[in-house]
């Protein structure tokens, strides 16, 4: 059955998931890239939305063959586009349960993102964490939305692979881990520091850097050695270089 | 005198510079960020465009005080917005002469961008090259436009600081330099290689990697050691990590 009406309840429900407050309420997020849906095949989507023309062409048969029919919804092309975040949608959206976890680790190396703002940066950092096999990413509550479609897109399928946690700054400093703040004027360079188990490196906000609270409460401080004539690196680049050094 | 008509010749000329073909024809490019215009103060803009309300508020007096009055054009707010690339323009645009140079080096360490496609990546790589004081960036002729407003924006003011060159692949391999291709399946890791004077590292296209021609004609090959479960790194991240290693 093809859903054609904007008054349909499933249509309205899925359309709402484009907004953060509904994503949070229902604990769901959307993936629009077929290749990512395929790479995440060990994660079962809760719902699949397909547009009518793709369905008729059998375009996504490999993706949907393992999914229960009652969770697959077909929409007329005309209203399907309202469910998409991208303008050039391939014609399918998979909706997954949130993938973040509870932090119960007592070893490993992690990054703490201290109010990171750009979904593209957050997604990129997750992708680099996956590439260099970091043990996980911990995100401050006021960072941008992990489940923003742009974050998900930039992470490629790494959002499904990297352990991701949420934690307040206060809880972070209470952990029995070594909290390392990154600061341009710190005297030790990441080139000289030997990263070890239980290190958590704090990456600051794109404009403001690491928060005062974590600057005051960090156990140690590191800099990325850059030219004095440059204000800063891109947050994704800075975090990726740190992950690269941590996992040496 | 405030220009209010879309038939004004200067208006038409500057508006054309939003397009690559006119930028190339006149050898000019635009910068919209006041902080970048200030940081580039040792480069004299050929023209400055300001919107009427900013001009009346004297908002950019520090920027324009050193610029000859005949090169400053005031536009009504209504038509000024058509000159901008960004939707939320601060109200000023500076037009500069192209900054790329002729390659006449016989030492130094460089990156060669082999058909890089994303202006955001190109700008980001230039910013990282500046941060780690790489000797320069060489760009293949089919890469995205160096003077695209998005490239310029992502480079911050680094486009004015990093030596930038254009060169064909054929000319590149004719140089008396060591051409190093990056390839996932290469056996030597950038972690183990000692970068030296006269190394030029080739960064491939976002989708296709390094071109067949440069894979065939490289002197050596390096990989960035990433997890087998990841296809690739973001091009800006990969290039930035390589620059970071090169300039150790």
């Amino acid at each position: 059955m093809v859903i054609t009406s904007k008054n349909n309840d499933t249509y309205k429900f899925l359309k709402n998931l484009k907004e953060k407050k509904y994503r949070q309420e229902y604990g769901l997020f959307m993936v629009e890239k077929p290749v990512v849906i395929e790479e995440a095949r060990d994660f079962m989507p809760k719902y699949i939305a397909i547009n009518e023309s793709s369905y008729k062409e059998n375009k996504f048969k490999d993706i949907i063959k393992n999914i229960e029919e009652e969770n697959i919804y077909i929409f007329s092309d005309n209203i399907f586009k309202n469910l998409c975040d991208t303008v050039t949608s391939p014609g399918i959206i998979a909706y997954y349960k949130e993938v973040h976890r509870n932090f119960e680790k007592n070893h490993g190396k992690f990054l703490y993102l201290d109010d990171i703002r750009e979904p593209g940066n957050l997604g990129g950092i997750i992708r680099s964490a996956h590439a260099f096999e970091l043990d996980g990413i911990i995100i401050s509550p006021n960072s941008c939305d992990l489940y923003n479609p742009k974050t998900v897109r930039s992470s490629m399928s790494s959002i499904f692979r990297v352990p991701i946690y949420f934690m307040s700054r206060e809880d972070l400093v209470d952990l029995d881990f070594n909290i390392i703040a990154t600061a341009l004027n710190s005297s030790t360079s990441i080139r000289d520091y030997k990263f070890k188990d239980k290190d958590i490196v704090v990456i600051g906000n794109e404009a403001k850097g690491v928060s005062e609270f974590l600057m005051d409460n960090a156990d140690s401080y590191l800099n990325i050695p850059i030219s004095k004539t440059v204000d800063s690196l891109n947050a994704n680049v800075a975090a990726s270089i740190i992950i690269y050094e941590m996992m040496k």
Side-chain angles (χ1 to χ4, degrees), chain A:
Chain A
M1 209 194 72
V2 178
I3 299 168
T4 59
S5 162
K6 292 186 180 175
N7 292 318
N8 174 279
D9 284 338
T10 305
Y11 170 80
K12 287 192 280 188
F13 172 73
L14 295 179
K15 186 160 177 290
N16 278 339
L17 294 176
K18 290 169 77 175
E19 289 178 51
K20 181 177 174 180
K21 71 169 182 179
Y22 291 104
R23 283 197 297 270
Q24 282 189 327
E25 185 175 337
Y26 295 102
L28 293 169
F29 70 102
M30 57 198 274
V31 172
E32 293 182 73
K33 255 192 158 172
V35 62
V36 172
I37 302 173
E38 280 176 58
E39 283 174 17
R41 71 179 73 76
D42 48 328
F43 288 74
M44 184 58 73
K46 193 131 168 66
Y47 311 103
I48 290 270
I50 302 188
N51 70 11
E52 189 176 2
S53 55
S54 299
Y55 186 73
K56 282 186 174 157
E57 287 167 26
N58 235 332
K59 198 169 147 191
F60 301 115
K61 63 174 188 298
D62 287 343
I63 291 181
I64 64 177
K65 69 179 179 219
N66 297 318
I67 293 167
E68 285 183 45
E69 217 170 305
E70 64 188 41
N71 295 327
I72 302 174
Y73 296 90
I74 322 297
F75 295 89
S76 64
D77 291 18
N78 192 35
I79 70 167
F80 177 83
K81 65 179 191 296
N82 303 324
L83 302 178
C84 302
D85 182 68
T86 51
V87 185
T88 54
S89 165
I92 187 167
I93 307 171
Y95 297 86
Y96 296 89
K97 274 190 269 184
E98 294 175 337
V99 292
H100 63 270
R101 316 173 188 195
N102 287 323
F103 192 86
E104 289 163 351
K105 298 286 181 186
N106 40 38
H107 69 92
K109 293 177 195 165
F110 300 87
L111 226 54
Y112 184 80
L113 306 182
D114 192 10
D115 288 6
I116 202 101
R117 270 299 137 75
E118 278 293 322
N121 284 336
L122 176 54
I125 293 170
I126 293 169
R127 186 174 169 194
S128 296
H130 182 198
F132 295 115
E133 300 177 330
L134 188 72
D135 295 303
I137 298 276
I138 311 171
I139 304 175
S140 74
N142 287 322
S143 288
C144 62
D145 182 19
L146 171 62
Y147 299 110
N148 179 306
K150 197 176 169 199
T151 312
V152 176
R153 226 171 14 251
S154 333
S155 96
M156 312 295 271
S157 59
S158 299
I159 193 172
F160 291 101
R161 304 300 165 199
V162 175
I164 300 173
Y165 313 92
F166 289 102
M167 198 183 296
S168 70
R169 293 164 180 152
E170 291 74 13
D171 288 347
L172 181 77
V173 300
D174 281 348
L175 293 177
D176 180 26
F177 275 74
N178 180 35
I179 308 302
I180 303 171
T182 47
L184 277 182
N185 57 0
S186 140
S187 58
T188 310
S189 157
I190 58 164
R191 294 207 201 271
D192 303 322
Y193 181 80
K194 265 204 133 17
F195 287 97
K196 51 191 190 313
D197 189 37
K198 302 188 101 172
D199 276 347
I200 300 181
V201 178
V202 181
I203 304 290
N205 170 277
E206 289 86 342
K208 294 183 234 158
V210 173
S211 60
E212 210 182 313
F213 180 81
L214 286 180
M215 284 305 285
D216 288 347
N217 287 281
D219 300 301
S220 35
Y221 302 87
L222 290 178
N223 73 65
I224 303 183
I226 60 172
S227 161
K228 298 255 177 302
T229 62
V230 176
D231 291 339
S232 65
L233 286 171
N234 165 278
N236 178 14
V237 167
S240 299
I241 288 175
I242 287 170
I243 297 170
Y244 169 81
E245 278 287 1
M246 290 176 86
M247 303 313 289
K248 238 177 193 168

